[in-house]
Amino acid sequence: MATNDDLKQTNKLILRNLEPEDYAQVKEIMDRVYPTLGGWTLLEFKAQLKTFPEGQICIEDDGKVIAAAQSLIVDYDKYGDRHTYNQITGEGLISTHDPKGNTLYGLDIFVDPDYRGLRLGRRLYDARKELCYRLNLKRIIAGGRIPGYAEHAHEMPPSKYIELVKDKELQDHVLGFQLANDFHVRRVLKGYLKGDTASKEYATLLEWSNMDYEEPHTNPRINRGIVRVGIVQWQMRSVKSVEEFLDQVEFFVDAMAGYNVDFVLFPEFFNAPLMALRTDESPETAIRTVAAHTETLVEKIGQFAVRYNVNIIAGSMPEYYDNTLYNASYLCRRDGTKDSQKKLHITPDEEAYWGMHGGDKLCVFETDVGRIGILVCYDVEYPELPRLLADKGIDILFVPYWTDTKNSYLRVRRCAQARAIENECYVAISGSVGTLPRVDNMDIQYSQSAVFSPSDFAFPHDATIAEATPNTEMTLVADLDISLLKELRERGSVRNLRSRRNDLYSLRWKGDKEDFVVVSG
């Protein structure tokens, strides 16, 4: 696993449409990426933005453009599978753009070399796919360079080279990337891009099909309200270093990203193995020693979120400052921003063993797929908190927990199930399994991670979408249909939120107003 030490540090990644004032930065990147082909002229760039502004997108980091992708819509039947780059793109001016066409054609995609390794190309491809869904286009077509072919042209035709790349016998960073993003090769194009000596002017004709496409004579009803969550039922095991612990974290993030999840949820105190690195320390000293690593861990996990394009809820970890110890969960968004939610209710054990304190702030978190809440373990046993979050419009509540026995686990589970029904939202819970010898108060674990739903006809009969095998290290992946929540709140058999008797009782936050907030990142 990579340590990410060599990755470019980011501030906040923003996906947006290109603007005319971005030209200089775009040209600079293209000149670096295509030293022999060059970048767009200002005339071409302005024409692309004027003709089809929606298709010209970029990623910026702290105001600097670091990656971009351009496209147009064509009536593909006019061009067919035998065309050149200049023919179908109108010499880069996209005069061939047809708003009534059925195919999104990839004009170009490139990433600043200083920012490679963050999977920004995948993020741009995902944005193109979202555009394809939204405009109800049949497919994405692109001509793909094969810059590794020149080295092998003397010994094989391009078709053989492509097959070897597909079989992982040869590596081509462009073609390999496109295949990994669900494109397939329709045919080989000859003389596609003049001057592309690295590809011998050959190209792959690539296609990605929109499975939600509906013919124009029908009324398209495309549901993009699915949020996919990945849950890690974490095995507590001894580690020899912080780096080894981070390797385990990255392994699961990588695995979950392979399923295209929007969130990865880790358990409460999932970094407890670090407490075993110093067995000579008392419990209260050991947890403060571990807290000293928290800032570094959050920074590294934040890099994983960007690199693997997934929002990570980093369970919870001890946080120590101003001589006060807290238990905090961290949201690392895939745009590079981070926020935290402290545990508000501290268990008697946490107070007695460690001298831990509860936080005073309750947050609703904005993400790229909707509003969420995070409550750490014991907090979900207090129905007031999830109700306050529900009143702010959350759709998913994430609950990292740690329990040592089945009865303590069942407290968390039953309360989490109740919160899903009461507040008409999804609730995902994640715990740890296994043992940690020589770690006081964290030596044994019991867990059965799960995802719960409201209880009505549109949901599973037992209001349980997925659950793990008890006490086994594993992962869960579940698709959560947000549109079902909206339907439930309007036309459900019962409507808990709407039917409340506010004329008889009420719930309000008594802390400082600024301590109950919606956090946008």
Side-chain angles (χ1 to χ4, degrees):
M1 289 289 182
T3 63
N4 287 330
D5 289 334
D6 57 340
L7 296 182
K8 186 80 170 181
Q9 295 296 314
T10 60
N11 294 291
K12 180 177 180 179
L13 301 182
I14 297 175
L15 181 73
R16 62 171 175 84
N17 290 109
L18 283 164
E19 301 290 345
E21 54 268 25
D22 296 322
Y23 175 71
Q25 295 184 41
V26 169
K27 180 69 162 58
E28 181 182 355
I29 299 173
M30 293 190 74
D31 286 344
R32 294 181 65 192
V33 174
Y34 308 124
T36 61
L37 296 173
W40 302 115
T41 65
L42 182 58
L43 177 65
E44 292 166 337
F45 186 77
K46 286 184 175 180
Q48 294 160 12
L49 268 58
K50 181 179 180 180
T51 304
F52 185 37
E54 286 181 286
Q56 322 313 320
I57 56 179
C58 71
I59 297 173
E60 72 167 44
D61 175 34
D62 198 24
K64 176 186 176 183
V65 175
I66 59 174
Q70 292 121 314
S71 58
L72 65 151
I73 299 174
V74 296
D75 179 355
Y76 194 69
D77 291 339
K78 289 183 178 179
Y79 301 94
D81 286 351
R82 296 184 182 276
H83 59 263
T84 68
Y85 182 77
N86 284 334
Q87 287 172 346
I88 202 164
T89 67
E91 305 282 345
L93 296 170
I94 68 170
S95 56
T96 50
H97 174 73
D98 182 356
K100 296 181 180 179
N102 63 1
T103 299
L104 188 70
Y105 196 90
L107 187 63
D108 205 347
I109 185 168
F110 46 87
V111 176
D112 186 328
D114 292 338
Y115 286 81
R116 287 175 180 165
L118 295 177
R119 304 195 177 193
L120 302 182
R122 178 181 293 275
R123 195 169 301 204
L124 291 170
Y125 268 133
D126 288 345
R128 272 186 180 169
K129 293 172 184 177
E130 288 297 328
L131 181 62
C132 199
Y133 286 126
R134 181 158 54 85
L135 299 180
N136 191 38
L137 299 175
K138 189 173 185 178
R139 59 200 165 195
I140 300 174
I141 293 284
R145 299 176 64 236
I146 43 175
Y149 177 61
E151 297 181 16
H152 301 274
H154 66 283
E155 56 186 351
M156 66 183 73
S159 57
K160 178 64 175 178
Y161 174 81
I162 292 167
E163 286 301 317
L164 290 175
V165 173
K166 289 169 67 176
D167 292 341
K168 311 296 185 183
E169 297 294 330
L170 290 176
Q171 289 188 347
D172 186 291
H173 70 276
V174 174
L175 177 56
F177 173 72
Q178 291 160 336
L179 295 173
N181 279 274
D182 303 323
F183 283 79
H184 72 269
V185 179
R186 287 174 59 134
R187 61 170 291 111
V188 176
L189 297 173
K190 184 178 181 180
Y192 179 71
L193 180 61
K194 290 184 178 179
D196 185 8
T197 56
S199 306
K200 291 291 185 179
E201 296 189 357
Y202 286 102
T204 55
L205 184 64
L206 300 153
E207 179 177 12
W208 174 84
S209 297
N210 176 8
M211 303 302 292
D212 289 338
Y213 174 73
E214 297 189 32
E215 293 294 338
H217 65 272
T218 65
N219 181 25
R221 290 180 295 175
I222 302 172
N223 175 23
R224 302 299 298 157
I226 303 297
V227 176
R228 179 168 292 179
V229 299
I231 297 172
V232 179
Q233 184 153 284
W234 177 261
Q235 173 78 45
M236 292 290 195
R237 53 169 63 87
S238 298
V239 295
K240 296 179 181 178
S241 65
V242 173
E243 291 71 26
E244 185 179 343
F245 169 77
L246 283 168
D247 277 348
Q248 293 177 13
V249 176
E250 186 178 6
F251 167 79
F252 282 107
V253 173
D254 187 7
M256 291 290 90
Y259 294 104
N260 297 317
V261 300
D262 296 294
F263 292 96
V264 178
L265 173 64
F266 287 94
E268 180 183 22
F269 288 132
F270 74 122
N271 66 333
L274 299 179
M275 295 176 69
L277 295 178
R278 292 289 300 273
T279 57
D280 58 321
E281 294 181 333
S282 63
E284 62 271 20
T285 302
I287 197 163
R288 284 163 174 78
T289 299
V290 171
H293 297 297
T294 295
E295 185 176 353
T296 298
L297 296 180
V298 173
E299 180 61 33
K300 290 292 186 181
I301 294 171
Q303 292 179 14
F304 296 159
V306 172
R307 185 180 186 191
Y308 292 99
N309 193 25
V310 62
N311 300 300
I312 302 174
I313 296 155
S316 83
M317 293 181 272
E319 184 180 277
Y320 185 66
Y321 62 90
D322 291 339
N323 296 318
T324 307
L325 183 69
Y326 300 97
N327 181 0
S329 181
Y330 299 88
L331 169 62
C332 299
R333 298 182 184 85
R334 50 186 160 197
D335 68 1
T337 59
K338 307 177 192 70
D339 284 300
S340 66
Q341 172 66 63
K342 290 183 176 66
K343 190 174 184 177
L344 304 186
H345 299 87
I346 299 303
T347 65
D349 262 8
E350 288 173 312
E351 184 176 4
Y353 271 84
W354 299 325
M356 191 163 277
H357 290 255
D360 299 314
K361 186 174 181 179
L362 182 64
C363 298
V364 171
F365 300 104
E366 295 277 15
T367 72
D368 58 339
V369 288
R371 287 188 173 184
I372 67 165
I374 302 172
L375 293 177
V376 180
C377 196
Y378 198 26
D379 282 346
V380 81
E381 298 180 28
Y382 295 84
E384 298 88 349
L385 297 180
R387 178 53 53 88
L388 287 168
L389 297 174
D391 285 343
K392 292 286 188 180
I394 70 163
D395 292 316
I396 309 172
L397 175 63
F398 291 97
V399 182
Y401 67 89
W402 175 85
T403 53
D404 55 350
T405 62
K406 187 171 183 178
N407 61 305
S408 59
Y409 160 73
L410 288 175
R411 282 199 306 270
V412 174
R413 180 187 177 105
R414 301 288 188 246
C415 289
Q417 288 181 294
R419 304 298 88 90
I421 294 170
E422 294 164 354
N423 299 295
E424 297 170 340
C425 66
Y426 295 106
V427 180
I429 67 173
S430 174
S432 53
V433 302
T435 60
L436 277 178
R438 301 185 301 280
V439 178
D440 289 343
N441 204 38
M442 293 289 293
D443 47 354
I444 60 173
Q445 342 281 322
Y446 184 95
S447 175
Q448 186 179 17
S449 302
V451 183
F452 305 116
S453 72
S455 186
D456 210 335
F457 299 117
F459 304 97
H461 74 279
D462 58 356
T464 301
I465 292 177
E467 58 185 351
T469 302
N471 284 346
T472 301
E473 182 175 44
M474 62 178 294
T475 60
L476 289 178
V477 177
D479 283 344
L480 309 182
D481 191 338
I482 304 303
S483 67
L484 294 180
L485 299 179
K486 298 175 182 177
E487 181 76 14
L488 172 71
R489 293 162 187 167
E490 293 295 327
R491 290 182 285 274
S493 300
V494 294
R495 301 159 207 170
N496 293 74
L497 294 178
R498 181 171 291 189
S499 299
R500 284 179 295 171
R501 290 290 303 274
N502 292 321
D503 57 323
L504 299 179
Y505 56 85
S506 64
L507 176 65
R508 68 184 180 90
W509 177 260
K510 295 178 68 175
D512 292 339
K513 185 178 180 180
E514 60 269 21
D515 286 339
F516 180 31
V517 294
V518 177
V519 183
S520 59

